Amino acid sequence: MSQYRTLSLFVVLAAVWGSAFVAINAGLAYVPPVLFAAVRYDVAGVIMLGYAWLVADDPLPRGRDEWTVVLVGATLIIAAYHALLFVGESDPAVTSAVASVIVGLSPVLTTVFARVLLPAERLTPLGVVGLLVGLVGAVVLAAPDPTNLTAGGTVAKFLVLCAATAFALGSVITRALDTDLEIETMEAWAMLLGAGLMHLAAAAIGESPATIAWTTEAVLALGYLAVVASGAGYLLYFRLLDQLGPIEINLVSYVAPVFAALSGWVILGEGIEPNTVAGFVLVCAGFAIVKRTAIRTELQRAGLLA
């Protein structure tokens, strides 16, 4: 794959995942949040399972260790992450841009969890500084009111931060378990089981399918999230992972907010606040500090740094 083609696909992935936040906000006007996330992964899970059946050597997890990986992915990466994200985005104060920037903290959190849970890795003092810078960025983005911490969508933004934390923790635990389960098989079954968990959660909090308004906009939002953002998006992600490696592909989380902000502004008329931009810059700075060595190595390998 040529460098230009790889770069083009990277930008496409960032655009797809960035605009997904807009689709979430659009669909939440017609579908209860947790139920919306559950139905999304009903569809996406079937798509991914079909793909796994075509390309994986074994489309079924085998044994306790492989099913443990699937359960971790289903619980943290799919169910907890998306349920919390969708509930957070149901608050009007959490625009597409705000949600995408908070979720952009995931790579920093992933690095931190990896160094805590994997014995061979430790945070250096400068790495701790990077973590703190990223966390400050999340706080600046949330812009809490000191006199009333429940005002201005602070709770909703905190839920989105919890979603990012769940995703990061789940990613690290699945790596730490270190099984031979193929990623397509793991993703497919995690999506399906995660959807089941979200259906249970939706029922527990009183969300009913009867309250869904199946408008054209709702169907389009669900279709985009399930088929494009989840189905095609994950397939594109795995293809680029082989080409770029984990360091470069992780940077998609920092390009996605640009597309989230632009598409939110164009499609939903959402404003772009100064604290959103400042939070985005700080989160990026935190990631760059934590991953400074790996980023320097990649830049040297590409001939962009002596």
Side-chain angles (χ1 to χ4, degrees), residues 67-84 162-163 165-171 173-174 186-187 189-198 201:
W67 276 110
T68 298
V69 172
V70 170
L71 288 174
V72 170
T75 303
L76 293 175
I77 297 176
I78 301 298
Y81 169 66
H82 289 91
L84 291 168
C162 289
T165 303
F167 186 91
L169 181 59
S171 300
I173 293 176
T174 54
M186 188 277 283
E187 286 290 346
W189 288 100
M191 285 179 178
L192 291 172
L193 291 178
L197 290 174
M198 287 187 286

Side-chain angles (χ1 to χ4, degrees), residues 242-261:
D242 291 336
Q243 297 292 323
L244 300 174
I247 301 301
E248 291 185 41
I249 193 59
N250 269 347
L251 295 177
V252 75
S253 296
Y254 296 89
V255 182
V258 176
F259 290 98

Side-chain angles (χ1 to χ4, degrees), residues 3 46 60-61 105 170 202 220 273 279:
Q3 290 185 353
V46 171
L60 291 173
L105 194 59
L220 289 175
E273 301 295 333

Side-chain angles (χ1 to χ4, degrees), residues 14-258:
V16 166
W17 279 1
S19 56
F21 291 96
V22 178
I24 293 172
N25 268 344
L28 285 172
Y30 309 99
V31 189
V34 179
L35 188 58
F36 189 17
V39 175
R40 168 186 179 177
Y41 278 96
D42 287 335
V43 179
V46 171
I47 293 173
M48 185 60 76
L49 184 60
Y51 181 74
W53 220 275
L54 289 174
V55 304
D57 293 331
D58 189 352
L60 291 173
R62 306 289 179 178
R64 184 179 62 182
D65 291 345
E66 291 190 355
W67 276 110
T68 298
V69 172
V70 170
L71 288 174
V72 170
T75 303
L76 293 175
I77 297 176
I78 301 298
Y81 169 66
H82 289 91
L84 291 168
L85 174 63
F86 278 49
V87 172
E89 279 208 67
S90 66
D91 190 310
V94 182
T95 65
S96 305
V98 168
S100 65
V101 173
I102 296 175
V103 169
L105 194 59
S106 289
V108 176
L109 293 169
T110 299
T111 301
V112 173
F113 285 134
R115 293 176 183 246
V116 171
L117 298 177
L118 300 178
E121 300 184 30
R122 292 289 184 272
L123 272 178
T124 64
L126 192 55
V128 173
V129 172
L131 169 63
L132 294 176
V133 170
L135 291 176
V136 169
V139 172
V140 169
L141 180 68
D145 181 355
T147 63
N148 184 2
L149 292 180
T150 62
T154 300
V155 171
K157 293 170 188 176
F158 178 72
L159 290 177
V160 177
L161 179 59
C162 289
T165 303
F167 186 91
L169 181 59
S171 300
V172 171
I173 293 176
T174 54
R175 288 205 302 270
L177 291 173
D178 192 25
T179 68
D180 294 326
L181 181 62
E182 294 174 84
I183 192 66
E184 294 88 355
T185 301
M186 188 277 283
E187 286 290 346
W189 288 100
M191 285 179 178
L192 291 172
L193 291 178
L197 290 174
M198 287 187 286
H199 277 293
L200 291 175
I205 62 177
E207 292 185 359
S208 170
T211 62
I212 299 176
W214 289 113
T215 64
T216 300
E217 187 174 10
V219 172
L220 289 175
L222 178 61
Y224 184 82
L225 290 170
V227 179
V228 181
S230 297
Y234 273 112
L235 297 182
L236 182 55
Y237 172 83
F238 293 131
R239 183 177 182 182
L240 287 172
L241 183 62
D242 291 336
Q243 297 292 323
L244 300 174
I247 301 301
E248 291 185 41
I249 193 59
N250 269 347
L251 295 177
V252 75
S253 296
Y254 296 89
V255 182
V258 176

